Amino acid sequence: MDLTHAPGVADFRAEARAWLAEHVPGSPLPSLETAEGFAAHRAWEAALHADRWSAVSWPAEYGGRGVDIERWLVFEEEYWAAGAPGRVAQNGISLLAPTLFDHGTPEQRARVLPPMASGEVIWAQAWSEPEAGSDLASLRSRAVRTGGGWLLSGQKTWSSRAAFADRAFGIFRSDPGAAKAHQGLTYLMFDLRAPGVTVRPIGRLDGKPAFAELFLDEVFVPDEDVIGEPGQGWRIAMSTTGNERGLTLRSPGRFLAAAERLRALWRSAADPRDTALRDRVADAVVGARAYELFTWAAASRFAAGMPIGAESSLNKVFWSEYDIALHETALDLLGPDAELAQGAWAEPWIFSLAGPIYAGTNEIQRDIIAERLLGLPKGRR
Amino acid sequence: MRFLPSAEQSEFARTLHGLLGVSEVPAAVRAWGAGDHGPGRALWSRLARTGLFALAADEAYGGVGPLPVELALGFVELGRAGVPGPVVETAAAAVLLSELARPGAEGEEGGAEDAGDAGPAKRFLPGLAAGEALATLTLPGGGPYALDADAATYCFTVSAAGELRLAGGGPGVPLGSTDPARRLSRPAPDGELLAAGPRVLAAAETALGWARLLTAAQCLGVGEALLASTVAYVKQRTQFAVPIGSFQAVKHRLADTLLALEFARPLVWAAALGLAPREVAAAKLAAGGAAYASAMTALQLHGAVGYTEELDLSLWLRKARPLRDAWGSPSQCRAAVLRGAP
């Protein structure tokens, strides 16, 4: 057992740190949930890509550096410690790209990944529907066969980034006669500006259009934009939720950096006699370290060829609840300034509140933990 | 980077697990609580034959250590099995004596090369490493009570002034603990002076770190045992014609218990790798909290039968809270996590 990095990792870290020190914007970009901020974040993706930092774990042919998971985690540590902007390309890079690596064709990878890496094409996800949230397999949006492709119709919702994004990916019902709900679904990519697509932005709690509803009316999708076999969409979508995605959805570097900022805020702003606040700061510091170490252990198992399955549900519940507790502690340290919308902690706090809801609600995750990790019997939800 | 136990480390833990599984530990715990140390001492001898106690002692005095990772993995198994007695304290005493004997760097004390004080190590360590002797101790920064002094061969005390003594005058009448298998007493302040000075205080600080680490590891095992018992129970306990483990309220509480344990485990590993005070404090905070939460979950989900002494579950339930606080309460550990931080 060890926590020492392989030879060469220190050089990689130094290279990343030097690049970030030179390129990270001196002042924060406008919120990426605004038109202006979205454009600024897209430009940042291009800057990252120009020196091959936007998707370091991808093969070089798609714009990456082909680094292993250890170096990817180190890059993330440096990235967030440098105070670099949030990643507007995250949905594509952490959800669609792993799916294409596992199930896409070489042609799809060559066509889709480079513009994803450069920020030229920003992807939104299109999973949920008004009547299909946690029970995703009950979705109703249809994909109907037509000459050379499919026609998509129906409604998707809570589509993150869709207000300003270029394309989207999701699963659609292609065989309404299939015996079970999760059969007869097909995984497709489509253009958000194609004829038949209507995007209605939805304001989240602070009013910013962080997600959108998508109305689809016979939207044509060519066969080349189907991922995997038609009818296998559920299996394809689920296969990437249980592997390294559990590790890459939220990197520890993000929380290590946030805990460090919280500790600095506590040092500068807190009454040292307030041990209740001190305890919460200590818990945030311990939580970030626990998450980091849990991830190193999982990465070690992954590197040793052991599968990462339902334990990614432990990971998701932990970071999402941790993130809220950390931001709430920061707000308490700020006192009356906590309420100011332009404060450094306000928008991240609003963002953190969605964590237990998206990417599989924490209630569903706890069901998965209980049933798959503890072996408890399935019951009525 | 391979942040996982090696094959040898896992094998050692499995050996202990197998040994403890056939050792009728609950009966030994009950006897121990009633003042009969015989079955517990027999268990101790079997554990010593795996080399467990030698892991804490220096090679020069009959040990094979210090090997904190192996020891921590072993103590998870002791916690899981509910082993009674001053296991943490014996290991911490071995660390204390080994540290005291270690030659210090030049200038560490008074400018001259420090040869270390090997007298106490020569006298006590071989017996502790071989499992022939049990030790308990009190240290500056720890609590005032010695655990199981009535069963221990030696009771060491280190005063705030840096005097290491072999407490004399017998253990006295044990004070009752909420866990009958933990027998507490206040050591006599006098006794034979074994060593004194800043080196003793430095060695005591190191020993305290090990005690905190090994208690954290023990907590992890206690929590895992409580979770495993409770998962088994809710699968077979039927109400409303279905196993209660199919109810979401029950499932989610157990999921949270597993979550706390799984995020405490890597903290314990990392603490064992470097024994950095902040890492050890984080591990103790997380593992102690997870073990106690696991106990409360176990109690609630077993219902009334969980509240009985008769059920062996009580042996772990009663241990969780004192272990959460021993060798570093949550408040002490949180303060240590932030101490010296920028």
Side-chain angles (χ1 to χ4, degrees):
Chain A
M1 183 190 295
D2 73 81
L3 270 171
T4 51
H5 288 300
V9 173
D11 294 342
F12 175 78
R13 183 191 289 279
E15 190 187 350
R17 184 176 295 183
W19 188 90
L20 289 161
E22 195 180 325
H23 291 85
V24 169
S27 54
L29 302 182
S31 167
L32 71 79
E33 314 295 3
T34 62
E36 180 201 6
F38 199 90
H41 282 78
R42 192 197 287 269
W44 168 247
E45 293 292 326
L48 283 168
H49 174 255
D51 290 318
R52 290 189 300 124
W53 292 110
S54 67
V56 292
S57 62
W58 293 5
E61 61 184 301
Y62 305 124
R65 290 170 175 252
V67 304
D68 58 10
I69 198 159
E70 182 174 348
R71 284 172 178 78
W72 179 77
L73 288 164
V74 163
F75 172 74
E76 287 282 311
E77 279 180 19
E78 292 300 322
Y79 186 88
W80 298 106
R87 298 295 304 274
V88 69
Q90 158 110 9
N91 273 317
I93 289 172
S94 72
L95 291 171
L96 179 58
T99 305
L100 286 172
F101 282 122
D102 288 354
H103 302 281
T105 64
E107 184 278 324
Q108 286 173 327
R109 288 194 280 272
R111 178 163 50 88
V112 173
L113 294 177
M116 184 192 291
S118 68
E120 192 185 323
V121 175
I122 301 290
W123 290 83
Q125 45 85 6
W127 303 114
S128 295
E129 297 181 2
E131 301 302 327
S134 288
D135 184 11
L136 183 62
S138 69
L139 64 88
R140 297 175 189 169
S141 291
R142 297 180 314 281
V144 177
R145 200 79 182 98
T146 187
W150 299 79
L151 292 173
L152 306 185
S153 296
Q155 187 182 347
K156 293 284 181 180
T157 192
W158 318 132
S159 180
S160 301
R161 306 291 98 74
F164 306 109
D166 307 295
R167 287 172 66 77
F169 55 92
I171 47 179
F172 292 80
R173 191 160 299 286
S174 52
D175 179 6
K180 289 183 175 162
H182 58 269
Q183 294 170 350
L185 299 170
T186 296
Y187 199 128
L188 299 114
M189 302 178 278
F190 59 98
D191 197 323
L192 284 169
R193 298 193 186 92
V197 178
T198 305
V199 178
R200 188 182 77 83
I202 304 173
R204 68 173 176 196
L205 276 182
D206 64 356
K208 296 194 179 89
F211 41 25
E213 277 180 299
L214 309 177
F215 299 90
L216 308 170
D217 181 14
E218 301 204 326
V219 178
F220 178 73
V221 175
D223 282 330
E224 63 184 23
D225 281 344
V226 173
I227 302 177
E229 290 296 312
Q232 295 297 310
W234 183 262
R235 190 181 59 81
I236 293 166
M238 292 303 120
S239 73
T240 42
T241 64
N243 59 17
E244 73 271 26
R245 198 202 110 188
L247 292 175
T248 58
L249 190 60
R250 281 288 178 276
S251 71
R254 187 179 186 121
F255 300 114
L256 289 167
E260 206 43 57
R261 285 200 300 277
L262 182 73
R263 180 154 63 179
L265 178 66
W266 172 70
R267 283 273 180 228
S268 66
D271 177 350
R273 291 163 303 180
D274 189 341
T275 53
L277 265 175
R278 178 208 69 180
D279 283 357
R280 289 165 61 199
V281 173
D283 287 347
V285 170
V286 171
R289 180 68 170 153
Y291 187 64
E292 178 194 9
L293 293 166
F294 181 91
T295 304
W296 283 124
S300 298
R301 279 196 295 277
F302 184 69
M306 291 179 245
I308 293 172
E311 65 196 85
S312 63
S313 293
L314 290 169
N315 177 302
K316 199 266 163 166
V317 173
F318 186 89
W319 68 250
S320 58
E321 298 191 348
Y322 171 83
D323 202 23
I324 292 178
L326 179 137
H327 285 90
E328 284 176 340
T329 305
L331 297 191
D332 285 345
L333 283 165
L334 288 169
D337 289 341
E339 195 182 338
L340 300 176
Q342 77 271 31
W345 295 90
E347 187 168 345
W349 169 66
I350 292 281
F351 180 70
S352 75
L353 297 180
I357 302 167
Y358 64 74
T361 66
N362 285 10
E363 285 70 25
I364 292 294
Q365 304 293 354
R366 286 186 167 91
D367 281 353
I368 293 171
I369 293 165
E371 290 168 14
R372 302 202 201 148
L373 297 178
L374 295 174
L376 294 174
K378 281 189 182 291
R380 274 198 7 231
R381 306 243 184 248
Chain B
M1 166 94 59
R2 190 184 185 279
F3 188 49
L4 292 174
S6 68
E8 295 77 19
Q9 287 164 343
S10 298
E11 182 56 33
F12 176 65
R14 264 196 303 277
T15 301
L16 280 178
H17 182 74
L19 172 74
L20 291 164
V22 297
S23 293
E24 293 173 4
V25 179
V29 178
R30 290 183 185 278
W32 192 277
D36 170 11
H37 301 126
R41 290 294 297 253
L43 178 61
W44 197 284
S45 299
R46 282 199 294 279
L47 284 171
R49 283 198 286 277
T50 69
L52 180 70
F53 297 106
L55 295 170
D58 199 276
E59 279 184 344
Y61 311 100
V64 296
L67 289 171
V69 173
E70 284 73 5
L71 205 56
L73 294 173
F75 271 63
V76 173
E77 298 309 320
L78 300 191
R80 193 191 315 280
V83 170
V87 283
V88 167
E89 291 70 17
T90 296
V95 168
L96 174 73
L97 300 172
S98 297
E99 278 295 303
L100 204 52
R102 188 159 298 141
E106 195 174 337
E108 195 173 337
E109 191 183 80
E113 179 141 346
D114 176 3
D117 183 354
K122 281 182 187 151
R123 180 171 158 196
F124 301 108
L125 266 183
L128 294 177
E132 289 154 10
L134 283 63
T136 190
L137 82 172
T138 59
L139 296 170
Y145 305 112
L147 177 69
D148 297 320
D150 59 334
T153 323
Y154 312 116
C155 176
F156 300 104
T157 62
V158 177
S159 68
E163 290 183 338
L164 168 62
R165 290 177 184 275
L166 185 63
V173 182
L175 304 160
S177 158
T178 50
D179 176 5
R182 285 174 56 87
R183 298 161 68 83
L184 305 176
S185 58
R186 239 179 225 282
D190 55 354
E192 182 189 344
L193 183 66
L194 300 173
R199 280 212 59 133
V200 171
L201 285 176
E205 200 177 323
T206 303
L208 182 73
W210 280 68
R212 191 170 279 180
L213 166 70
L214 297 179
T215 308
Q218 211 181 355
C219 283
L220 192 57
V222 166
E224 289 185 340
L226 285 161
L227 175 62
S229 298
T230 309
V231 166
Y233 180 76
V234 303
K235 283 182 191 172
Q236 57 93 10
R237 169 69 176 170
T238 295
Q239 288 286 274
F240 307 101
V242 292
I244 63 171
S246 64
F247 300 138
Q248 254 183 337
V250 170
K251 279 181 179 168
H252 289 192
R253 187 148 183 185
L254 289 166
D256 285 337
T257 304
L258 179 68
L259 187 81
L261 291 165
E262 290 300 328
F263 279 88
R265 183 193 324 281
L267 286 168
V268 172
W269 290 355
L273 278 174
L275 278 150
R278 281 159 62 183
E279 296 263 48
V280 173
K284 178 73 206 307
L285 175 67
Y292 187 58
S294 189
M296 293 302 95
T297 298
L299 176 59
Q300 181 64 23
L301 298 188
H302 276 79
V305 74
Y307 195 60
T308 62
E309 184 185 28
E310 189 184 344
L311 197 71
D312 278 345
L313 187 77
S314 64
L315 308 180
W316 284 265
L317 284 179
R318 293 188 298 220
K319 213 182 272 289
R321 176 73 195 208
L323 286 183
R324 186 194 78 145
D325 299 337
W327 300 114
S329 67
S331 182
Q332 287 173 313
C333 289
R334 287 189 172 101
V337 162
L338 294 174
R339 195 170 295 139

